[in-house]
Amino acid sequence: MNYYHKNHLINQNLLLIKQAKGFQDLIKVVTTFKKQNPQLKVISLGVGDVSFPIVSPVIKAMHQAVNDLSKGDTFKGYGAYYGYDFLKKQILTHEYQGLNFTNQELYISSGTKTDVTDILELFSPQVKIGIPSISYPIYKYGALCLNRSFELIPGDSKSSVPNRKYDLLYLNSPNNPLGIAYSYQELKEWVNYAQQNNCIILYDNVYFSFITSSDKPKSIYEIKGAKEVAIEFRSFSKSISFTGVRCSYYVIPKELNVQINDWWRLRTFNRFNGADYIAQRGAAASYLPAAQNLIRFNIKSYLMRAQLLRQAFLRLGFEVIGGIDSPYLWIKTKGGLKSEAFFELMLRELHLVVIPGIIFGVAGDDYFRVSALGKEEDIKIAIKRLEDYYA
Ligand code: PLP
């Protein structure tokens, strides 16, 4: 049976995803270019992956966790569907102090990429979902995988609140790809919108640890009334280099206007067997003072790299957004080039990989995204190439 013959059996929305420009298409172009030009050092400024390894106190805790699994009295099997208390306690103490969340409101999981889509399983297929027109592509593609329809909200996610009603709204701060975080005032407007429209905000907060500006809230729950309207998602991926280990968490407050906690437990019990024990032990150890010092150093280093990139692009006359409370910069292309043409130019002339804005939505087609999560020496070489080219 060939692919087309079978088409009617598969989720037709997967074809929509296949047709859209995605990261997978970029990877193909870059891989082919590298194969054809093995002598060139291609540097990726595109990577959303981290470059620091996991810090030693966390590694030690994961080794210990492996040992736990080897002994009858410390072995862990099924059962912790919503996460282990030892990790929840650390998160509630260190991340949400003063907010009075209980264990029951916090869920441990295995990555925000899946969490932000899985949450849709709780809601009726009829709910109106709003997704910012420039955003992390998984909000759209995840919804399509689950056969959910959605509307793109015009403008970028920094724009003012929409003038129409949504039941669910994806917001992301610090934002990928825009590289900026909401101020208290901006976030207050979104919380007010959600209250007035009986809407639930799905707040993707995976980059919260990069916020350093004092006028930017780290959590949406710092805004009065947010517990009634927001589910906040966070991940250990970028903060402690767990992109390969996988551990995340999210909060469903009991004050939420729609009482969903019991329903979500029912759903989760039937769809998930809990996050990895070893990962959770590692994540818990990241709150040890010795680990915190190392982790803060890593985050600071990424932010310094973002500054290097920001200053370099500004010097070269680019219009730059972001890179202060986030490892990402959102930069306008030069010479009126659309984002894919600019991506091609960077790859073929400078041997640099940037992410064309169209990947994040058609509205982003005059921009490209640069990441500061790569190695410092690579970033410095990239800056030199840019300076030589635009000199
Ligand atoms: N949300 C945003 C905005 C992201 O940029 C990413 C990863 O790049 C994720 C979620 C995925 O996080 P995780 O590694 O926890 O799945």
Side-chain angles (χ1 to χ4, degrees):
M1 236 190 247
N2 69 32
Y3 174 75
Y4 293 102
H5 191 73
K6 277 201 297 191
N7 258 358
H8 69 284
L9 292 178
I10 68 159
N11 179 350
Q12 296 297 300
N13 281 350
L14 293 177
L15 299 180
L16 291 179
I17 300 174
K18 193 173 189 301
Q19 281 156 12
K21 251 298 157 244
F23 279 106
Q24 66 280 6
D25 302 299
L26 294 189
I27 293 169
K28 257 189 231 157
V29 174
V30 174
T31 310
T32 310
F33 181 80
K34 280 182 178 170
K35 259 194 204 144
Q36 289 166 346
N37 301 279
Q39 77 288 3
L40 297 177
K41 178 175 166 65
V42 175
I43 291 177
S44 179
L45 291 179
V47 280
D49 205 350
V50 290
S51 51
F52 281 115
I54 297 169
V55 300
S56 58
V58 172
I59 291 289
K60 206 167 142 202
M62 289 198 285
H63 278 301
Q64 180 58 48
V66 172
N67 291 340
D68 291 348
L69 299 180
S70 74
K71 297 181 210 121
D73 55 345
T74 49
F75 169 76
K76 295 284 182 296
Y78 288 136
Y81 301 99
Y82 318 113
Y84 285 104
D85 284 350
F86 64 76
L87 176 55
K88 290 187 175 194
K89 190 166 167 230
Q90 294 299 322
I91 294 170
L92 293 177
T93 308
H94 295 276
E95 309 289 6
Y96 289 120
Q97 59 278 57
L99 286 166
N100 298 322
F101 288 120
T102 60
N103 259 10
Q104 299 272 313
E105 296 166 276
L106 180 65
Y107 295 82
I108 310 296
S109 188
S110 51
T112 303
K113 185 174 186 174
T114 34
D115 294 340
V116 291
T117 300
D118 286 353
I119 196 76
L120 297 180
E121 292 182 4
L122 182 67
F123 298 98
S124 143
Q126 274 73 47
V127 293
K128 212 168 217 9
I129 303 172
I131 300 180
S133 59
I134 300 174
S135 55
Y136 178 53
I138 298 308
Y139 307 143
K140 286 181 288 189
Y141 298 154
L144 286 172
C145 287
L146 287 186
N147 268 310
R148 301 302 174 100
S149 52
F150 55 84
E151 240 180 57
L152 292 179
I153 307 167
D156 57 43
S157 56
K158 194 72 179 139
S159 308
S160 51
V161 297
N163 53 13
R164 56 169 313 167
K165 183 178 157 36
Y166 295 103
D167 302 310
L168 291 180
L169 195 60
Y170 280 97
L171 290 188
N172 173 211
S173 178
N175 189 281
N176 176 14
L178 304 183
I180 41 180
Y182 287 126
S183 67
Y184 282 94
Q185 189 49 41
E186 286 161 343
L187 203 47
K188 215 181 263 177
E189 283 172 30
W190 286 100
V191 169
N192 287 346
Y193 165 88
Q195 281 174 328
Q196 283 156 14
N197 290 279
N198 204 15
C199 163
I200 293 179
I201 294 173
L202 304 173
Y203 194 67
D204 181 340
N205 193 215
V206 298
Y207 297 99
F208 74 97
S209 47
F210 291 86
I211 295 180
T212 51
S213 302
S214 56
D215 64 332
K216 310 277 165 75
K218 281 206 166 183
S219 161
I220 193 168
Y221 301 122
E222 290 177 47
I223 308 294
K224 199 165 169 279
K227 280 187 176 183
E228 290 147 33
V229 295
I231 298 174
E232 179 165 280
F233 299 87
R234 286 183 172 182
S235 168
F236 289 99
S237 282
K238 313 291 161 120
S239 56
I240 68 167
S241 296
F242 263 26
T243 46
V245 175
R246 315 302 299 146
C247 194
S248 60
Y249 59 96
Y250 51 90
V251 180
I252 303 184
K254 58 180 180 315
E255 287 91 342
L256 206 68
N257 284 335
V258 187
Q259 288 297 310
I260 58 175
N261 248 311
D262 288 347
W263 293 110
W264 186 246
R265 282 181 174 254
L266 180 68
R267 172 270 168 204
T268 300
F269 180 83
N270 285 287
R271 292 273 291 123
F272 188 56
N273 265 334
D276 184 315
Y277 170 69
I278 302 164
Q280 290 187 69
R281 278 288 179 205
S286 73
Y287 294 104
L288 294 169
Q292 280 290 302
N293 285 341
L294 298 166
I295 291 162
R296 280 202 202 105
F297 173 84
N298 291 353
I299 302 272
K300 226 173 168 177
S301 305
Y302 290 134
L303 288 172
M304 273 160 53
R305 291 169 200 182
Q307 267 311 302
L308 286 179
L309 285 162
R310 190 178 153 82
Q311 294 312 324
F313 277 105
L314 285 172
R315 267 196 315 277
L316 297 171
F318 283 85
E319 205 179 289
V320 182
I321 301 172
I324 293 169
D325 294 301
S326 155
Y328 297 128
L329 296 97
W330 185 241
I331 306 174
K332 191 149 194 211
T333 62
K334 271 202 171 192
L337 290 180
K338 287 293 172 194
S339 64
E340 278 179 279
F342 191 82
F343 159 82
E344 290 282 343
L345 171 82
M346 288 289 117
L347 180 63
R348 295 186 197 287
E349 300 289 328
L350 283 80
H351 319 132
L352 298 179
V353 180
V354 299
I355 307 296
I358 195 162
I359 296 272
F360 303 96
V362 177
D365 205 10
D366 292 326
Y367 289 82
F368 62 99
R369 192 198 75 181
V370 158
S371 161
L373 291 170
K375 294 198 171 112
E376 184 172 344
E377 61 267 29
D378 285 348
I379 286 173
K380 285 186 169 159
I381 299 171
I383 289 174
K384 176 86 177 63
R385 288 185 195 168
L386 284 158
E387 284 171 344
D388 289 346
Y389 185 79
Y390 285 105

